Amino acid sequence: MPIFEYVCQSCHHEFEAILQGSQRAKCPKCESRKLEQQLSRFGVAGDKALETDFKPGACGSCGDPRGPGSCSMN
């Protein structure tokens, strides 16, 4: 199930929602459905935090500089 991030346009509350099927999110604070969906920080390519944590070619799970899957080759 995907997790969506929203900002309520009525009260400016920021929150996350797990939605199934055709469910529509509503603000947990004011119950408004006037929401602006945000890009998840996790899903944004080129995020500066990720660029500093992992070098090109490093394992995506642990950051091992030997490359993908190398953390399981001890």
Side-chain angles (χ1 to χ4, degrees):
M1 285 181 282
I3 299 174
F4 297 99
E5 297 179 23
Y6 295 95
V7 174
C8 178
Q9 293 179 345
S10 298
C11 70
H12 307 289
H13 179 67
E14 297 179 21
F15 65 97
E16 295 177 346
I18 298 175
L19 304 176
Q20 296 179 13
S22 62
Q23 286 181 320
R24 288 186 53 218
K26 67 179 179 180
C27 177
K29 188 173 180 182
C30 73
E31 299 189 4
S32 172
R33 293 200 186 268
K34 295 179 183 178
L35 307 173
E36 183 178 330
Q37 190 170 353
Q38 304 294 298
L39 287 177
S40 171
R41 255 185 84 72
F42 182 91
V44 176
D47 187 332
K48 293 294 182 195
L50 292 176
E51 290 174 11
T52 57
D53 289 346
F54 298 106
K55 305 295 182 230
C59 177
S61 297
C62 70
D64 190 311
R66 295 177 291 168
S70 56
C71 51
S72 62
M73 301 184 308
N74 289 332

